[in-house]
């Protein structure tokens, strides 16, 4: 007999709580929630569709309705989690376990519900892990005997749950196993090459019948191999509800730009900003579009056009950083381009410490990634700090996941070096760092 399924509703990645602590929810899942569920003999399924921009669609409803058990992490009062919990409570009278970080103050409407707190350490990772696993496992085992834990079924007399045919639950289990198998194949395909990724896409058949999580994984697999035409084609054939999400539109614009379709990328991003408002990521990608067009204008000798595009790139990056000063990505790009302007933009000296504080703060609150260290590389190069630049470079290369990441940083350093060479001699270590990044990028 197959194991019972337990659906996990929770935030993804690293998110701040109300006190500013950056919580690593992926580690909460891997170290605490998943082993607790497996301890009870059940199979965990995580709500990974949230990575597709938080959309709610048919597979999500199926999981909420058909999974025998569910664990909902209410930390950060995530809107998607609360919506999903509401749907779950409306269709399932029992078997839903609520947990939350002990730093969380629950909103009024759910505060009376019987939730289980878990501990975090000062870095936002799970603490007292064994005790928490045991507590969640115990609560899940006890849920098998509980008749009602949904407020709706407790308060409304005579309310009956919807009976689901046995054939539907069997089909649902087959869909879950298929999706997990495809994701595993994509992990292997990213190591093998783009041809293997294409084979997996072909076997998916109609994209409208494929889970959003699988399609997002496929899109990011093409991105990892710098297969920009394939990535563009995939997005343009995605179901409309997924294609129109902010995250997919941002990645679509990124791919268009890398494929040499800068004007279409610009239009896509401007329409996205007009419809959804500016964000550090959207403005940052728009800044990259203008920066690439600026470098092309320079190569063609069109200095007037180049000057205008440089100003637009700086403005886009500044807008992104001002939208979210915690995100150093648009900030460091703004500072770099300010230094390349002729004459240099005086705002650079004002933005530099703000960007450094943003990345240092992010690194202190969680596990630093490639872009954190790459930001410190660029700042050190701008300041002429050879020792600091080389130290940060080593750490950046150690965290690199995809080749295009190193190539992006190498390109930024090349722009800085070439600009400085036009003004005078440049130390040889600048070119050396570019070469190491370019070599690292070509190996992936």
């Amino acid at each position: 007999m197959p194991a019972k399924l337990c659906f996990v509703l929770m935030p993804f990645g690293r998110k701040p709580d109300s006190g500013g602590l950056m919580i690593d929810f992926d580690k909460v899942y891997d170290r605490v929630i998943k082993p607790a569920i497996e301890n009870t003999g059940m199979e965990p399924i995580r709500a990974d569709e949230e990575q597709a921009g938080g959309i709610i669609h048919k597979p999500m409803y199926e999981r909420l309705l058909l999974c025998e058990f569910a664990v909902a992490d209410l930390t950060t009062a995530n809107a998607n989690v609360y919506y999903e919990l509401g749907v779950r409570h409306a269709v399932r009278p029992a078997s839903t376990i609520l947990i939350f970080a002990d730093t969380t103050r629950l909103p009024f409407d759910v505060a009376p519900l019987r939730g289980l707190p878990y501990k975090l350490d000062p870095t936002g990772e799970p603490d007292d892990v064994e005790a928490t696993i045991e507590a969640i496992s115990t609560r899940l085992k006890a849920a098998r005997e509980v008749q009602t834990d949904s407020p709706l079924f407790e308060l409304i007399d005579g309310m009956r749950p919807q009976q689901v045919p046995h054939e539907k639950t069997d089909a649902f289990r087959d869909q879950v196993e298929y999706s997990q198998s495809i994701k595993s194949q994509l992990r292997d395909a990213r190591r093998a090459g783009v041809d293997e990724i294409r084979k997996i896409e072909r076997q998916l058949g109609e994209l409208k019948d494929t889970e959003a999580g699988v399609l997002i994984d496929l899109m990011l697999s093409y991105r990892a191999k710098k297969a920009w035409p394939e990535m563009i084609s995939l997005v343009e054939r995605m179901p409309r509800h997924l294609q129109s999400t902010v995250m997919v539109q941002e990645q679509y614009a990124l791919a268009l730009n890398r494929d040499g379709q800068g004007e279409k990328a610009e239009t896509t991003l401007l329409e996205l900003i007009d419809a959804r408002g500016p964000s550090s990521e959207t403005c940052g990608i728009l800044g990259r579009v203008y920066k690439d067009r600026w470098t092309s204008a320079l190569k063609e000798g069109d200095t007037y056009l180049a000057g205008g595009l440089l100003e637009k790139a700086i403005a886009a990056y500044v807008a992104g950083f001002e939208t979210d000063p915690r995100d150093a990505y648009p900030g460091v790009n703004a500072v770099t381009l300010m230094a390349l302007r002729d004459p240099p933009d005086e705002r650079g000296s004002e933005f530099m410490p703000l960007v450094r504080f943003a990345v240092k703060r992010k690194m202190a609150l969680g596990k630093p990634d490639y872009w954190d260290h790459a930001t410190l590389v660029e700042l050190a190069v701008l300041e002429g700090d050879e020792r600091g630049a080389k130290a940060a470079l080593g750490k950046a290369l150690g965290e690199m996941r995809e080749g295009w990441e190193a190539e992006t940083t190498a390109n930024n350093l090349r722009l800085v070096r070439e600009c400085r060479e036009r003004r005078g001699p440049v130390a040889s270590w600048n070119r050396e760092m570019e070469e190491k990044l370019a070599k690292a990028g070509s190996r992936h």
Side-chain angles (χ1 to χ4, degrees):
M1 182 176 179
K4 291 182 181 296
L5 299 175
C6 183
F7 189 35
V8 180
L9 298 67
M10 67 182 301
F12 274 76
R14 297 172 65 252
K15 302 286 191 306
D17 67 5
S18 58
L21 176 65
M22 194 67 70
I23 302 174
D24 192 328
F25 285 102
D26 293 341
K27 290 184 179 177
V28 171
Y29 176 75
D30 290 333
R31 295 182 186 177
V32 173
I33 299 175
K34 182 179 179 182
I37 294 170
E38 292 173 340
N39 276 358
T40 65
M42 291 191 285
E43 180 181 344
I45 304 175
R46 193 177 181 191
D48 58 358
E49 280 73 22
E50 188 179 30
Q51 293 178 337
I55 61 171
I56 304 294
H57 59 108
K58 181 173 178 287
M60 175 68 77
Y61 285 115
E62 288 180 337
R63 294 179 180 202
L64 289 167
L65 176 65
L66 299 175
C67 282
E68 296 94 326
F69 290 81
V71 174
D73 189 339
L74 306 182
T75 308
T76 75
N78 181 278
N80 292 315
V81 173
Y82 275 73
Y83 180 89
E84 293 155 12
L85 176 61
V87 172
R88 176 77 179 185
H89 275 163
V91 298
R92 282 276 185 173
S95 69
T96 302
I97 309 303
L98 308 181
I99 65 173
F100 58 93
D102 61 5
T103 59
T104 299
R105 182 178 179 180
L106 295 178
F108 175 80
D109 288 345
V110 297
L113 303 180
R114 187 167 169 260
L116 178 69
Y118 61 84
K119 295 183 180 298
L120 296 171
D121 66 21
T123 68
E125 297 184 11
D127 198 7
D128 202 7
V129 170
E130 294 302 322
T132 305
I133 291 174
E134 180 62 28
I136 296 175
S137 297
T138 299
R139 187 68 64 87
L140 282 168
K141 292 172 183 176
R144 295 172 177 174
E145 310 300 326
V146 174
Q147 296 300 311
T148 306
D149 58 34
S150 163
L152 287 175
F153 285 90
E154 288 177 344
L155 295 172
I156 302 176
D157 293 335
M159 187 170 178
R160 296 287 181 266
Q162 178 70 37
Q163 296 300 315
V164 181
H166 180 266
E167 300 79 25
K168 180 64 176 177
T169 59
D170 287 346
F172 167 67
R173 183 179 290 276
D174 290 342
Q175 291 170 4
V176 169
E177 291 176 355
Y178 175 74
S179 296
Q180 292 175 338
S181 172
I182 291 294
K183 291 177 184 180
S184 177
Q185 291 177 47
L186 282 170
R187 281 194 295 271
D188 294 336
R190 285 193 289 272
R191 291 190 288 269
V194 70
D195 287 341
E196 292 301 314
I197 301 174
R198 292 193 194 101
K199 289 180 184 177
I200 294 173
E201 181 182 354
R202 286 195 293 270
Q203 78 182 64
L204 290 177
E206 288 290 333
L207 298 187
K208 66 181 178 63
D209 298 324
T210 304
E211 282 197 26
V214 172
L215 292 178
I216 295 301
D217 205 4
L218 178 62
M219 179 185 74
L220 297 180
S221 296
Y222 279 135
R223 187 187 72 175
K225 305 309 293 183
K226 294 174 280 190
W228 310 121
E230 289 84 354
M231 187 173 166
I232 293 167
S233 173
L234 174 67
V235 171
E236 292 176 346
R237 289 179 289 111
M238 280 182 177
R240 182 61 186 168
H241 68 268
L242 178 59
Q243 183 188 109
S244 61
T245 60
V246 172
M247 183 264 219
V248 171
Q249 284 296 295
E250 288 172 343
Q251 294 302 308
Y252 178 57
L254 183 150
L256 286 169
N257 188 54
R258 295 298 182 93
D259 194 49
Q261 302 182 56
E263 291 186 4
K264 189 173 181 180
E266 177 189 12
T267 299
T268 299
L269 293 166
L270 290 175
E271 289 178 350
L272 184 60
I273 291 171
D274 184 59
R276 305 293 184 91
S279 72
S280 60
E281 184 72 11
T282 307
C283 292
I285 298 173
L286 180 61
R288 175 60 191 264
V289 171
Y290 291 137
K291 184 169 75 171
D292 287 346
R293 289 167 63 184
W294 164 63
T295 58
S296 295
L298 282 178
K299 289 178 182 178
E300 294 169 3
D302 192 339
T303 55
Y304 290 103
L305 175 61
L309 290 169
L310 178 59
E311 295 301 326
K312 293 181 76 170
I314 292 173
Y317 282 128
V318 168
F321 188 57
E322 290 180 340
T323 299
D324 185 0
R326 298 170 301 176
D327 188 352
Y329 158 62
V332 70
N333 280 282
V335 167
T336 298
L337 293 187
M338 287 175 185
L340 301 185
R341 191 172 173 270
D342 189 17
D345 192 319
E346 295 179 354
R347 293 176 296 170
S349 59
E350 299 174 2
F351 273 78
M352 183 86 73
L354 300 177
V355 175
R356 186 181 299 279
F357 176 80
V359 70
K360 289 284 190 178
R361 179 66 175 166
K362 178 176 178 291
M363 294 170 76
L365 292 174
K367 186 178 183 299
D369 60 16
Y370 171 83
W371 296 111
D372 296 328
H373 296 298
T375 296
L376 293 179
V377 169
E378 289 192 42
L379 292 177
V381 168
L382 290 173
E383 294 174 324
D385 178 7
E386 178 180 1
R387 178 178 295 181
K390 290 183 175 179
L393 176 63
K395 295 175 182 177
L397 294 177
E399 295 292 339
M400 187 182 67
R401 298 157 300 180
E402 299 173 3
W404 66 273
E405 296 175 329
E407 291 175 355
T408 297
T409 307
N411 182 60
N412 286 349
L413 298 189
R414 177 184 59 78
L415 291 173
V416 173
R417 175 182 54 79
E418 290 177 348
C419 176
R420 288 179 168 174
E421 285 177 340
R422 290 192 291 270
R423 298 171 181 169
V426 177
S428 61
W429 63 267
N430 287 266
R431 185 184 292 273
E432 177 188 339
M433 296 189 66
E434 282 174 55
E435 293 171 349
K436 288 186 179 299
L437 283 161
K439 184 177 180 180
S442 66
R443 289 199 298 263
H444 281 67

mmCIF file of all heavy atoms in Angstrom, residues 76-102:
data_model
loop_
_atom_site.group_PDB
_atom_site.id
_atom_site.type_symbol
_atom_site.label_atom_id
_atom_site.label_comp_id
_atom_site.label_asym_id
_atom_site.label_seq_id
_atom_site.Cartn_x
_atom_site.Cartn_y
_atom_site.Cartn_z
ATOM 1 N N THR A 76 5.816 34.456 8.819
ATOM 2 C CA THR A 76 5.834 35.636 7.935
ATOM 3 C C THR A 76 4.450 35.988 7.386
ATOM 4 O O THR A 76 4.320 36.931 6.608
ATOM 5 C CB THR A 76 6.811 35.514 6.740
ATOM 6 O OG1 THR A 76 6.257 34.621 5.759
ATOM 7 C CG2 THR A 76 8.184 35.038 7.173
ATOM 8 N N ALA A 77 3.410 35.246 7.799
ATOM 9 C CA ALA A 77 2.044 35.538 7.327
ATOM 10 C C ALA A 77 2.000 35.612 5.801
ATOM 11 O O ALA A 77 1.389 36.504 5.214
ATOM 12 C CB ALA A 77 1.522 36.833 7.948
ATOM 13 N N ASN A 78 2.654 34.646 5.146
ATOM 14 C CA ASN A 78 2.721 34.618 3.691
ATOM 15 C C ASN A 78 1.322 34.501 3.084
ATOM 16 O O ASN A 78 0.545 33.615 3.437
ATOM 17 C CB ASN A 78 3.587 33.420 3.258
ATOM 18 C CG ASN A 78 3.739 33.327 1.765
ATOM 19 O OD1 ASN A 78 2.866 32.802 1.091
ATOM 20 N ND2 ASN A 78 4.859 33.804 1.251
ATOM 21 N N ALA A 79 0.990 35.389 2.153
ATOM 22 C CA ALA A 79 -0.375 35.451 1.611
ATOM 23 C C ALA A 79 -0.768 34.157 0.907
ATOM 24 O O ALA A 79 -1.910 33.686 1.034
ATOM 25 C CB ALA A 79 -0.492 36.634 0.652
ATOM 26 N N ASN A 80 0.146 33.574 0.143
ATOM 27 C CA ASN A 80 -0.169 32.327 -0.564
ATOM 28 C C ASN A 80 -0.477 31.198 0.414
ATOM 29 O O ASN A 80 -1.421 30.429 0.214
ATOM 30 C CB ASN A 80 0.995 31.929 -1.474
ATOM 31 C CG ASN A 80 1.171 32.887 -2.627
ATOM 32 O OD1 ASN A 80 0.213 33.276 -3.269
ATOM 33 N ND2 ASN A 80 2.399 33.288 -2.879
ATOM 34 N N VAL A 81 0.333 31.096 1.470
ATOM 35 C CA VAL A 81 0.124 30.042 2.463
ATOM 36 C C VAL A 81 -1.242 30.208 3.132
ATOM 37 O O VAL A 81 -1.981 29.229 3.326
ATOM 38 C CB VAL A 81 1.247 30.044 3.514
ATOM 39 C CG1 VAL A 81 0.928 29.067 4.644
ATOM 40 C CG2 VAL A 81 2.587 29.683 2.869
ATOM 41 N N TYR A 82 -1.599 31.440 3.476
ATOM 42 C CA TYR A 82 -2.877 31.670 4.143
ATOM 43 C C TYR A 82 -4.055 31.369 3.216
ATOM 44 O O TYR A 82 -5.083 30.817 3.642
ATOM 45 C CB TYR A 82 -2.953 33.103 4.666
ATOM 46 C CG TYR A 82 -2.309 33.244 6.019
ATOM 47 C CD1 TYR A 82 -0.924 33.212 6.163
ATOM 48 C CD2 TYR A 82 -3.079 33.366 7.169
ATOM 49 C CE1 TYR A 82 -0.325 33.313 7.398
ATOM 50 C CE2 TYR A 82 -2.490 33.473 8.415
ATOM 51 C CZ TYR A 82 -1.113 33.449 8.526
ATOM 52 O OH TYR A 82 -0.518 33.534 9.762
ATOM 53 N N TYR A 83 -3.926 31.724 1.959
ATOM 54 C CA TYR A 83 -4.989 31.398 1.002
ATOM 55 C C TYR A 83 -5.148 29.887 0.890
ATOM 56 O O TYR A 83 -6.271 29.356 0.934
ATOM 57 C CB TYR A 83 -4.659 32.002 -0.364
ATOM 58 C CG TYR A 83 -5.714 31.718 -1.415
ATOM 59 C CD1 TYR A 83 -6.792 32.580 -1.585
ATOM 60 C CD2 TYR A 83 -5.634 30.591 -2.221
ATOM 61 C CE1 TYR A 83 -7.773 32.315 -2.537
ATOM 62 C CE2 TYR A 83 -6.610 30.320 -3.173
ATOM 63 C CZ TYR A 83 -7.669 31.183 -3.330
ATOM 64 O OH TYR A 83 -8.633 30.905 -4.259
ATOM 65 N N GLU A 84 -4.021 29.192 0.750
ATOM 66 C CA GLU A 84 -4.064 27.733 0.624
ATOM 67 C C GLU A 84 -4.630 27.090 1.881
ATOM 68 O O GLU A 84 -5.390 26.109 1.810
ATOM 69 C CB GLU A 84 -2.655 27.211 0.320
ATOM 70 C CG GLU A 84 -2.142 27.648 -1.044
ATOM 71 C CD GLU A 84 -0.624 27.677 -1.135
ATOM 72 O OE1 GLU A 84 0.038 27.135 -0.223
ATOM 73 O OE2 GLU A 84 -0.102 28.252 -2.108
ATOM 74 N N LEU A 85 -4.280 27.633 3.042
ATOM 75 C CA LEU A 85 -4.809 27.102 4.299
ATOM 76 C C LEU A 85 -6.329 27.282 4.348
ATOM 77 O O LEU A 85 -7.062 26.389 4.808
ATOM 78 C CB LEU A 85 -4.157 27.804 5.490
ATOM 79 C CG LEU A 85 -4.681 27.409 6.879
ATOM 80 C CD1 LEU A 85 -4.453 25.924 7.142
ATOM 81 C CD2 LEU A 85 -4.010 28.263 7.959
ATOM 82 N N GLY A 86 -6.813 28.428 3.871
ATOM 83 C CA GLY A 86 -8.249 28.657 3.847
ATOM 84 C C GLY A 86 -8.970 27.644 2.973
ATOM 85 O O GLY A 86 -10.031 27.110 3.347
ATOM 86 N N VAL A 87 -8.398 27.357 1.792
ATOM 87 C CA VAL A 87 -8.988 26.348 0.912
ATOM 88 C C VAL A 87 -8.977 24.991 1.601
ATOM 89 O O VAL A 87 -9.979 24.254 1.582
ATOM 90 C CB VAL A 87 -8.225 26.290 -0.426
ATOM 91 C CG1 VAL A 87 -8.709 25.118 -1.277
ATOM 92 C CG2 VAL A 87 -8.380 27.598 -1.191
ATOM 93 N N ARG A 88 -7.870 24.646 2.229
ATOM 94 C CA ARG A 88 -7.749 23.358 2.915
ATOM 95 C C ARG A 88 -8.786 23.228 4.029
ATOM 96 O O ARG A 88 -9.445 22.194 4.165
ATOM 97 C CB ARG A 88 -6.328 23.235 3.491
ATOM 98 C CG ARG A 88 -6.075 21.978 4.325
ATOM 99 C CD ARG A 88 -5.873 20.764 3.474
ATOM 100 N NE ARG A 88 -5.620 19.584 4.292
ATOM 101 C CZ ARG A 88 -5.313 18.394 3.822
ATOM 102 N NH1 ARG A 88 -5.206 18.212 2.509
ATOM 103 N NH2 ARG A 88 -5.123 17.373 4.625
ATOM 104 N N HIS A 89 -8.938 24.257 4.828
ATOM 105 C CA HIS A 89 -9.911 24.206 5.924
ATOM 106 C C HIS A 89 -11.348 24.119 5.408
ATOM 107 O O HIS A 89 -12.234 23.614 6.110
ATOM 108 C CB HIS A 89 -9.764 25.439 6.820
ATOM 109 C CG HIS A 89 -8.704 25.282 7.858
ATOM 110 N ND1 HIS A 89 -8.164 26.355 8.533
ATOM 111 C CD2 HIS A 89 -8.080 24.177 8.345
ATOM 112 C CE1 HIS A 89 -7.252 25.909 9.392
ATOM 113 N NE2 HIS A 89 -7.182 24.597 9.294
ATOM 114 N N ALA A 90 -11.582 24.602 4.189
ATOM 115 C CA ALA A 90 -12.933 24.554 3.638
ATOM 116 C C ALA A 90 -13.313 23.174 3.124
ATOM 117 O O ALA A 90 -14.505 22.854 3.036
ATOM 118 C CB ALA A 90 -13.070 25.574 2.507
ATOM 119 N N VAL A 91 -12.307 22.360 2.776
ATOM 120 C CA VAL A 91 -12.618 21.054 2.174
ATOM 121 C C VAL A 91 -12.212 19.872 3.042
ATOM 122 O O VAL A 91 -12.688 18.761 2.826
ATOM 123 C CB VAL A 91 -11.946 20.921 0.786
ATOM 124 C CG1 VAL A 91 -12.476 21.975 -0.177
ATOM 125 C CG2 VAL A 91 -10.425 21.013 0.884
ATOM 126 N N ARG A 92 -11.342 20.091 4.023
ATOM 127 C CA ARG A 92 -10.876 18.994 4.871
ATOM 128 C C ARG A 92 -11.193 19.296 6.333
ATOM 129 O O ARG A 92 -10.673 20.270 6.897
ATOM 130 C CB ARG A 92 -9.359 18.805 4.718
ATOM 131 C CG ARG A 92 -8.952 18.069 3.460
ATOM 132 C CD ARG A 92 -9.044 16.583 3.668
ATOM 133 N NE ARG A 92 -8.545 15.848 2.506
ATOM 134 C CZ ARG A 92 -8.394 14.529 2.476
ATOM 135 N NH1 ARG A 92 -8.685 13.813 3.551
ATOM 136 N NH2 ARG A 92 -7.965 13.929 1.401
ATOM 137 N N PRO A 93 -12.028 18.508 6.977
ATOM 138 C CA PRO A 93 -12.374 18.799 8.368
ATOM 139 C C PRO A 93 -11.220 18.607 9.336
ATOM 140 O O PRO A 93 -11.196 19.225 10.404
ATOM 141 C CB PRO A 93 -13.498 17.805 8.665
ATOM 142 C CG PRO A 93 -13.308 16.704 7.678
ATOM 143 C CD PRO A 93 -12.758 17.344 6.443
ATOM 144 N N ALA A 94 -10.247 17.762 8.987
ATOM 145 C CA ALA A 94 -9.159 17.467 9.925
ATOM 146 C C ALA A 94 -7.871 17.168 9.164
ATOM 147 O O ALA A 94 -7.820 17.266 7.942
ATOM 148 C CB ALA A 94 -9.535 16.288 10.824
ATOM 149 N N SER A 95 -6.833 16.843 9.915
ATOM 150 C CA SER A 95 -5.518 16.389 9.415
ATOM 151 C C SER A 95 -4.654 17.512 8.855
ATOM 152 O O SER A 95 -3.778 17.268 8.033
ATOM 153 C CB SER A 95 -5.671 15.280 8.372
ATOM 154 O OG SER A 95 -6.229 15.760 7.166
ATOM 155 N N THR A 96 -4.853 18.768 9.292
ATOM 156 C CA THR A 96 -4.007 19.895 8.891
ATOM 157 C C THR A 96 -3.263 20.405 10.119
ATOM 158 O O THR A 96 -3.887 20.852 11.083
ATOM 159 C CB THR A 96 -4.833 21.033 8.272
ATOM 160 O OG1 THR A 96 -5.557 20.528 7.151
ATOM 161 C CG2 THR A 96 -3.935 22.171 7.817
ATOM 162 N N ILE A 97 -1.927 20.347 10.090
ATOM 163 C CA ILE A 97 -1.083 20.740 11.215
ATOM 164 C C ILE A 97 -0.520 22.133 10.964
ATOM 165 O O ILE A 97 0.010 22.400 9.885
ATOM 166 C CB ILE A 97 0.080 19.743 11.409
ATOM 167 C CG1 ILE A 97 -0.436 18.317 11.467
ATOM 168 C CG2 ILE A 97 0.887 20.094 12.650
ATOM 169 C CD1 ILE A 97 -1.470 18.082 12.539
ATOM 170 N N LEU A 98 -0.598 23.014 11.936
ATOM 171 C CA LEU A 98 -0.083 24.375 11.810
ATOM 172 C C LEU A 98 1.202 24.509 12.624
ATOM 173 O O LEU A 98 1.261 24.081 13.781
ATOM 174 C CB LEU A 98 -1.106 25.388 12.315
ATOM 175 C CG LEU A 98 -2.513 25.283 11.730
ATOM 176 C CD1 LEU A 98 -3.399 26.384 12.312
ATOM 177 C CD2 LEU A 98 -2.480 25.360 10.217
ATOM 178 N N ILE A 99 2.230 25.092 12.004
ATOM 179 C CA ILE A 99 3.485 25.363 12.694
ATOM 180 C C ILE A 99 3.909 26.794 12.400
ATOM 181 O O ILE A 99 3.425 27.408 11.440
ATOM 182 C CB ILE A 99 4.611 24.377 12.288
ATOM 183 C CG1 ILE A 99 4.978 24.559 10.811
ATOM 184 C CG2 ILE A 99 4.200 22.937 12.557
ATOM 185 C CD1 ILE A 99 6.187 23.740 10.383
ATOM 186 N N PHE A 100 4.815 27.333 13.201
ATOM 187 C CA PHE A 100 5.308 28.693 12.971
ATOM 188 C C PHE A 100 6.581 28.897 13.784
ATOM 189 O O PHE A 100 6.775 28.267 14.828
ATOM 190 C CB PHE A 100 4.255 29.741 13.353
ATOM 191 C CG PHE A 100 3.799 29.669 14.775
ATOM 192 C CD1 PHE A 100 4.400 30.433 15.774
ATOM 193 C CD2 PHE A 100 2.762 28.821 15.152
ATOM 194 C CE1 PHE A 100 3.981 30.370 17.088
ATOM 195 C CE2 PHE A 100 2.333 28.745 16.466
ATOM 196 C CZ PHE A 100 2.947 29.523 17.440
ATOM 197 N N ALA A 101 7.469 29.771 13.294
ATOM 198 C CA ALA A 101 8.680 30.106 14.043
ATOM 199 C C ALA A 101 8.298 30.830 15.323
ATOM 200 O O ALA A 101 7.360 31.640 15.326
ATOM 201 C CB ALA A 101 9.601 30.974 13.195
ATOM 202 N N ASP A 102 9.010 30.544 16.408
ATOM 203 C CA ASP A 102 8.628 31.135 17.697
ATOM 204 C C ASP A 102 8.886 32.637 17.768
ATOM 205 O O ASP A 102 8.546 33.272 18.762
ATOM 206 C CB ASP A 102 9.309 30.411 18.851
ATOM 207 C CG ASP A 102 10.824 30.480 18.786
ATOM 208 O OD1 ASP A 102 11.361 31.165 17.893
ATOM 209 O OD2 ASP A 102 11.486 29.851 19.638
#
